[in-house]
Amino acid sequence: MRISLLAAMILLVMTATVAAQSPKTFPDLTLTGPLTDAQKTYLGVDTNPFRLSEIKADILFIEGYSMYCPICQQDAPALNELFQRLGKADPEGRIRVIGLALGNTEFETTFYQDKFNVPFPLFKDEDYAIHKALGEPVAPTYYIVRTSGPAPELLYEAEGELAKDIFETIMTLAKAR
């Protein structure tokens, strides 16, 4: 009996370890919304709509937000600063930043972008298709996704206020590729 219990525990630990190390795919979302020529160039895309996997980047930092979310509004200046820091730290353009306006219309997405001077591309989700594909997360939820492989791969996910060490986390994951 003791050997069976010990074997079961070892098997459980091994299974949990393998599961923790297994890559988790991230939905290859279809993104749409008004993009400036500069934003298209930043993302390396020339069509609209396009798929997440078409963005020319190794690492994608994604903010899932809502215009009506007070935490999202509070974090907007910090995200703008993060975008600037990443641009300076990554002159090769391997890291990109986008926002997904969970459940927001084009008007709401544009209003948010203008109100908070958001410099990175934001994408509407008025039919909740993105929200559903992501498992209906709360706003805000932040993702770090590797886009350089055969399919987008989730490396990091957190909800709530933007983590103070998110810049370091992004840079560490970018270097680990």
Side-chain angles (χ1 to χ4, degrees), residues 47-64:
T47 62
N48 195 358
F50 60 92
R51 301 200 63 82
L52 189 77
S53 59
E54 295 177 60
I55 295 174
K56 304 292 187 272
D58 293 338
I59 298 289
L60 194 56
F61 179 76
I62 303 171
E63 174 198 23

Side-chain angles (χ1 to χ4, degrees), residues 80-152:
N80 292 346
E81 182 182 321
L82 174 66
F83 172 77
Q84 300 300 332
R85 284 185 73 191
L86 288 171
K88 289 177 185 169
D90 177 43
E92 300 88 24
R94 294 180 26 240
I95 303 168
R96 294 293 182 231
V97 179
I98 64 169
L100 304 175
L102 305 173
N104 291 175
T105 65
E106 187 172 322
F107 173 80
E108 292 164 324
T109 304
T110 302
F111 181 86
Y112 186 90
Q113 189 150 36
D114 292 345
K115 180 176 181 176
F116 295 103
N117 298 312
V118 178
F120 51 89
L122 302 179
F123 298 95
K124 66 180 180 171
D125 181 34
E126 59 194 319
D127 61 359
Y128 287 87
I130 291 172
H131 189 248
K132 289 175 187 164
L134 294 175
E136 300 183 346
V138 299
T141 297
Y142 301 101
Y143 307 94
I144 301 173
V145 177
R146 183 178 316 287
T147 55
S148 58

Side-chain angles (χ1 to χ4, degrees), residues 61-79:
F61 179 76
I62 303 171
E63 174 198 23
Y65 77 97
S66 171
M67 180 183 99
Y68 302 101
C69 164
I71 296 172
C72 302
Q73 294 175 24
Q74 170 190 311
D75 280 352
L79 282 161

